[in-house]
């Protein structure tokens, strides 16, 4: 290889290396949030912004330290490398071992730096704690295998006003205090656009607050390994304007939709009362399917005949008011991508619900033999059709 070619190769390597770094940085993303719903770098609420305000200076300080230390390492490796002409014991550089000022210096300097960073850390932790004290609306967040339950107390009287699942609906610009716990194993609640992670630990209650600047949907994911379907345990926060939130809340406080007598959905309701209410609550009915004289959700609802480890399954009173089901995994409505002439976007996704009833374990790993997750009830096709007709009414 000629000298010129060798130089060209070195240059190409540099260009290639720079390109790789550029691509890597582009992957980290500076502007575009679409397709990266779990980025921690685009805060959309007060708490997430407080964290971002800490991350930025820490990252800059860490970056400067990285460049200085790595720069010194590279410089020393090149400057003091062993050359062909070097002989052991002849003209060796001055050895620094035992040089007290230097050793004190590189011990104390990082200690001071870390102490300064700790000040910012502790301040942010305190600020996030303060938010929780000031928040008025409180929601119990309960991790279950493998979905999230949300119980709202609007007026602070410690009574549960409504129970929903997988989609936490909040009014925009307001601090929402959550009290996070678990009914089975350890999960972790994480809506990166709105706040950091908080574990859901059995036997403990962890306070955490959320707020969103603008209406929108903010995705989340359970981030503590919690069994088979941990990866299928998602959730989302839907932030609504004050007026839209009131509409949503008023609808949630209503009783469930009653199907037309004699219709397919009415037959589905009967099947639901017999086979599903042992685990799933519809407000206004007990776990044997008998009608009650109240529409109040029952926080102590427990499946009598299907003793799930977590004790219960999602409250389905207003199922179709959500976007997705089963740990926020599957669309309740036909999405734009899945739309066709026969199934336009926005209509209930009967296919997803039907498949779920046919064999939930095919859509999401379940451990039915251990009473974890939705069991396969081996429902006949006509019952599945009737159940789907009933479920898609529950808006
Ligand atoms: Cu719940 Cu991982």
């Amino acid at each position: 290889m000629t000298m010129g070619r060798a130089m060209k190769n070195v240059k190409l390597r540099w260009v290639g290396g720079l390109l790789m770094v550029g691509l890597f940085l582009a992957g980290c993303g500076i502007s575009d949030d679409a397709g990266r719903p779990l980025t921690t770098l685009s805060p959309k609420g007060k708490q997430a912004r407080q964290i971002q305000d800490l991350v930025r200076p820490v990252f800059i300080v860490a970056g400067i330290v990285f460049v200085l230390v790595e720069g010194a390492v590279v410089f020393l490796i090149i400057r003091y490398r062993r050359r062909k002409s070097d002989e052991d014991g002849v003209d060796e550089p001055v050895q620094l071992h035992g040089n007290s000022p230097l050793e004190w210096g590189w011990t104390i300097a990082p200690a001071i730096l870390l102490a300064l960073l700790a000040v910012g850390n502790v301040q942010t932790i305190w600020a996030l704690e303060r938010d929780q004290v000031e928040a008025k609306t409180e929601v119990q967040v309960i991790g279950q295998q493998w979905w999230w339950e949300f119980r709202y107390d609007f007026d602070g009287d410690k009574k549960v006003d409504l129970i929903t699942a997988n989609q936490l609906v909040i009014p925009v610009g307001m601090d929402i205090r959550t009290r996070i716990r678990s009914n089975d194993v350890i999960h972790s609640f994480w809506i990166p656009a709105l706040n950091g992670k908080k574990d859901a630990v059995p036997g403990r209650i962890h306070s955490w607050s959320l707020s969103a600047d603008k209406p929108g949907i903010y995705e989340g994911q359970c981030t503590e390994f919690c069994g088979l379907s941990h990866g299928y345990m998602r959730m989302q926060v839907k932030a609504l304007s004050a007026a839209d939130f009131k509409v949503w809340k008023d609808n949630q406080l209503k009783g469930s939709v009653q199907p037309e007598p004699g219709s397919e959905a009415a037959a589905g309701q009967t099947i639901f009362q017999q086979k599903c209410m042992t685990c799933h609550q519809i407000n206004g009915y007990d776990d044997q399917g008998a009608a009650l004289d109240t529409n109040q959700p029952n926080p102590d609802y427990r499946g009598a005949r299907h003793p799930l480890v977590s004790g219960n399954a999602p409250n389905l009173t207003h199922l179709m008011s959500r976007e997705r089901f089963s740990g926020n995994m599957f669309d309740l409505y036909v999405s734009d991508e899945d739309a066709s002439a026969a199934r336009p976007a926005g209509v209930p996704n009967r296919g997803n619900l039907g498949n779920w009833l046919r064999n939930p374990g095919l859509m999401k790993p379940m451990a039915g033999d251990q009473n974890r997750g939705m069991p396969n009830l081996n429902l006949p096709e006509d019952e599945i059709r009737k159940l789907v007709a009933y479920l898609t009414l529950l808006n």
Side-chain angles (χ1 to χ4, degrees), residues 270-296:
T270 306
I271 299 165
F272 192 94
Q273 285 163 327
Q274 291 162 353
K275 298 195 172 175
C276 309
M277 282 192 181
T278 50
C279 298
H280 289 282
Q281 184 179 187
I282 299 271
N283 299 348
Y285 295 89
D286 71 10
D287 65 357
Q288 311 286 318
L292 303 167
D293 55 4
T294 168
N295 277 324
Q296 195 73 21

Side-chain angles (χ1 to χ4, degrees), residues 187 222 224-226 230 233:
H187 305 270
C222 175
E224 182 72 40
F225 180 68
C226 54
H230 157 68
M233 186 168 168

Side-chain angles (χ1 to χ4, degrees), residues 88-364:
D88 284 339
V90 180
D91 290 336
E92 280 196 342
V94 184
Q95 299 300 299
L96 291 176
H97 181 75
N99 184 324
S100 297
L102 267 181
E103 288 180 358
W104 276 109
W106 64 53
T107 305
I108 289 173
I112 291 175
L113 201 59
L114 287 176
L116 287 175
L117 293 178
V119 172
N121 257 301
V122 172
Q123 274 177 344
T124 304
I125 290 170
W126 281 348
L128 290 172
E129 290 290 327
R130 253 198 317 280
D131 286 343
Q132 293 158 28
V133 177
E134 286 161 9
K136 286 185 195 73
T137 295
E138 188 176 289
V139 184
Q140 292 179 47
V141 172
I142 306 167
Q144 324 241 20
Q145 280 175 324
W146 292 272
W147 57 284
W148 293 92
E149 179 164 309
F150 304 115
R151 300 179 175 179
Y152 289 68
D153 170 10
F154 293 110
D155 37 17
D157 65 355
K158 303 287 167 207
K159 228 176 78 206
V160 173
D161 298 311
L162 70 89
I163 299 179
T164 177
N166 297 321
Q167 187 180 57
L168 173 62
V169 180
I170 64 172
V172 108
M174 198 201 264
D175 275 339
I176 305 298
R177 176 154 72 153
T178 62
R179 292 170 66 76
I180 301 175
R181 56 195 180 86
S182 167
N183 264 356
D184 37 50
V185 299
I186 303 177
H187 305 270
S188 192
F189 188 73
W190 186 47
I191 309 285
L194 304 185
N195 204 342
K197 293 173 190 176
K198 200 67 158 178
D199 280 359
V201 180
R204 293 184 66 110
I205 295 176
H206 291 160
S207 292
W208 206 220
S209 64
L210 296 168
S211 68
D213 301 333
K214 287 191 192 142
I217 285 183
Y218 306 99
E219 304 286 346
Q221 162 77 48
C222 175
T223 54
E224 182 72 40
F225 180 68
C226 54
L228 264 185
S229 267
H230 157 68
Y232 290 74
M233 186 168 168
R234 297 187 192 160
M235 61 291 206
Q236 61 184 199
V237 168
K238 186 182 198 178
L240 299 174
S241 68
D244 287 346
F245 183 77
K246 187 171 180 307
V247 171
W248 174 84
K249 179 179 155 186
D250 290 346
N251 181 57
Q252 298 289 314
L253 294 174
K254 280 194 273 188
S256 63
V257 172
Q258 291 301 322
E260 197 77 24
S263 64
E264 194 167 53
Q269 184 185 35
T270 306
I271 299 165
F272 192 94
Q273 285 163 327
Q274 291 162 353
K275 298 195 172 175
C276 309
M277 282 192 181
T278 50
C279 298
H280 289 282
Q281 184 179 187
I282 299 271
N283 299 348
Y285 295 89
D286 71 10
D287 65 357
Q288 311 286 318
L292 303 167
D293 55 4
T294 168
N295 277 324
Q296 195 73 21
N298 173 13
D300 298 320
Y301 199 89
R302 287 286 178 271
R305 282 167 283 172
H306 270 293
L308 290 173
V309 172
S310 59
N312 63 351
N315 183 311
L316 299 180
T317 310
H318 296 285
L319 171 70
M320 297 306 286
S321 72
R322 307 165 199 160
E323 323 276 318
R324 303 192 198 119
F325 68 99
S326 182
N328 211 48
M329 288 300 303
F330 310 110
D331 289 330
L332 280 166
Y333 293 91
V334 174
S335 65
D336 290 336
E337 299 97 74
D338 295 343
S340 65
R343 293 163 77 238
V347 303
N349 195 325
R350 291 163 197 278
N352 272 356
L353 284 167
N355 287 339
W356 181 252
L357 293 172
R358 209 164 281 124
N359 188 354
L362 283 182
M363 292 172 76
K364 174 170 173 174

Side-chain angles (χ1 to χ4, degrees), residues 73-83:
V73 167
V74 171
F75 170 76
L76 292 173
I77 287 173
I78 295 173
R79 176 76 180 74
Y80 295 106
R81 70 188 186 280
R82 187 185 172 94
R83 293 182 167 85

